[in-house]
Amino acid sequence: MKPRVLSGVQPSGNLHIGNYLGALKNWVRLQHDYECIYCIVDLHAVTVYQEPKELLSKIRETAALFLAAGIDPKISSVIVQSSVPAHAELAWMLTCVTPMGWLSRMTQFKAKSEKQETVGSGLFQYPVLMAADILLYQAAIVPVGDDQSQHLELTRDVAQRFNSLYGDTFVVPETKLPAVGARVMGLDDPLKKMSKSEPGAGHAIALLDPPDVIRKKFARATTDSNPCVDFGGLAPGVENLLNIFQAFAEWPDERMRSHFAGMRYGELKKQVAEMVIGRLEPLQSRYREITSEPGYLDGILREGADRVAPLANATVDLVKSRMGLYVRP
Ligand code: TYM
């Protein structure tokens, strides 16, 4: 049996090149060597208020983007988290073994809760639900961007704590970060991670942005007052542009240096934009195909949920019996 991979994306905004380079690109690559489950984590999205109609359309859009990026539903399972109730069920059991102190230390909770007028307790429990997503399928590998590393550490701690309290139950998962592109920064502010929830028009390159919009966004990207690329002292904005290019082009460091050293920023921005446009073009045309076929997406999501439900239910039953809860005969 192949080891399992699990990962997820929140359908809480427009997916961007950070999501692609940090996560989706690796997901596609892992499909052939692992049994992969990729989730649209809608229950995570509602830890902050989402407009219901918009959320539903973002769930569909995110699913279509997974497929457009190259996830093959014949070999990987694509699921909407809330359509497999075992995620929420296991999350409750794990909540009961997770000390509040561990959750209070989560930097994403601190950052997100500062932006909310009222902080729902779901936002605090968010990492436990994420641990449940992963442990439910006994996933060995979790491909994510760098910003999820702390949540993954917590997942490992929760698994180990459960295993030591109730006996060996969960596989303790490993985090898999991409070599380049693990942390794509905002184009407007290269000290901030590129994020779906950031409002600025020049902040992120969305996967569905048309070419002229991509060109404009790169043309406005923050650099510094130098005129051209100096590998001896790269400003954060310039380093970010080079990283984006390298992650898409898959060029080795030496080729990057010899090609870009001394290049004027205007030309650098043009070349990065054309690279990104070229790489996104096939994804965008597959997206249009997928969304023009009525019923196709729902079929994939139903199939995915049907395929994984027995695995998920088996883990919930195992956890129940370990904890001494009643397992329905
Ligand atoms: P989310 O929806 O914020 O992001 C989805 C994936 O994209 C990566 N990512 C980035 N990578 C590089 N640069 C960036 N600027 C960037 N922004 C986002 C994220 O690291 C992530 O891999 N909590 C998760 C969703 C989740 C999950 C899970 C992930 C729920 N359950 C189980 C893995 C396993 C999140 O909010 O990702």
Side-chain angles (χ1 to χ4, degrees):
M1 207 180 67
K2 289 180 183 172
R4 225 165 265 149
V5 162
L6 181 130
S7 200
V9 173
Q10 288 194 71
S12 52
N14 294 330
L15 264 65
H16 52 66
I17 56 172
N19 301 126
Y20 179 77
L21 297 174
L24 289 165
K25 188 163 176 267
N26 248 345
W27 297 8
V28 173
R29 200 176 288 162
L30 291 166
Q31 294 186 102
H32 302 285
D33 300 323
Y34 297 89
E35 183 189 333
C36 299
I37 303 169
Y38 296 125
C39 290
I40 296 111
V41 292
D42 54 346
L43 295 174
H44 278 105
V46 293
T47 54
V48 297
Y49 180 78
Q50 306 288 334
E51 200 55 58
K53 273 204 193 108
E54 199 164 311
L55 177 59
L56 194 56
S57 87
K58 286 291 169 198
I59 290 170
R60 304 181 70 82
E61 181 181 305
T62 306
L65 280 169
F66 283 11
L67 303 179
I71 304 300
D72 178 354
K74 286 195 216 67
I75 53 175
S76 300
S77 304
V78 177
I79 63 166
V80 178
Q81 183 188 36
S82 67
S83 67
V84 182
H87 287 250
E89 227 179 328
L90 180 61
W92 176 255
M93 297 170 212
L94 298 180
T95 294
C96 299
V97 302
T98 307
M100 287 177 62
W102 292 4
L103 297 176
S104 321
R105 284 197 287 276
M106 294 293 111
T107 51
Q108 285 213 350
F109 171 71
K110 287 183 203 162
K112 280 191 188 173
S113 56
E114 273 166 15
K115 290 189 200 151
Q116 306 300 317
E117 216 170 284
T118 314
V119 180
S121 52
L123 192 60
F124 190 63
Q125 301 294 343
Y126 179 112
V128 186
L129 177 59
M130 180 162 161
D133 297 337
I134 298 164
L135 302 182
L136 189 58
Y137 300 104
Q138 307 285 7
I141 293 182
V142 185
V144 284
D146 175 60
D147 63 328
Q148 297 301 317
S149 296
Q150 195 187 33
H151 289 156
L152 259 298
E153 270 316 303
L154 182 103
T155 300
R156 293 166 56 82
D157 290 344
V158 170
Q160 276 157 348
R161 185 168 157 81
F162 191 99
N163 288 350
S164 74
L165 284 172
Y166 295 108
D168 233 10
T169 306
F170 293 120
V171 170
V172 180
E174 298 291 333
T175 309
K176 185 168 178 60
L177 302 179
V180 188
R183 195 174 188 82
V184 177
M185 308 309 280
L187 299 186
D188 54 347
D189 178 358
L191 300 178
K192 264 196 192 160
K193 169 192 88 158
M194 187 177 282
S195 153
K196 289 188 224 99
S197 51
E198 202 63 41
H203 172 76
I205 303 287
L207 296 181
L208 295 174
D209 274 348
D212 52 331
V213 172
I214 296 179
R215 284 189 193 102
K216 263 191 214 135
K217 285 181 177 175
F218 276 115
R220 284 203 308 259
T222 303
T223 48
D224 64 358
S225 53
N226 291 337
C228 45
V229 179
D230 170 11
F231 280 95
L234 291 174
V238 178
E239 195 175 9
N240 190 38
L241 292 173
L242 290 166
N243 276 337
I244 292 171
F245 184 99
Q246 187 175 21
F248 275 107
E250 300 184 353
W251 285 9
D253 290 349
E254 315 79 69
R255 184 166 177 199
M256 287 295 295
R257 278 175 178 264
S258 64
H259 183 79
F260 286 108
M263 186 181 283
R264 297 191 73 82
Y265 289 161
E267 179 59 21
L268 164 71
K269 288 174 171 182
K270 269 190 208 144
Q271 294 202 10
V272 181
E274 293 315 313
M275 171 56 65
V276 173
I277 290 167
R279 291 292 196 261
L280 292 185
E281 203 274 321
L283 180 152
Q284 296 183 349
S285 74
R286 277 198 298 268
Y287 178 85
R288 286 190 289 272
E289 272 169 39
I290 291 161
T291 49
S292 66
E293 234 180 283
Y296 174 71
L297 207 51
D298 285 318
I300 301 293
L301 296 174
R302 195 178 320 114
E303 234 169 71
D306 287 345
R307 201 186 299 160
V308 304
L311 304 172
N313 294 336
T315 305
V316 167
D317 280 353
L318 174 66
V319 170
K320 281 184 170 177
S321 72
R322 288 276 201 267
M323 294 179 93
L325 293 164
Y326 181 71
V327 179
R328 203 178 67 178

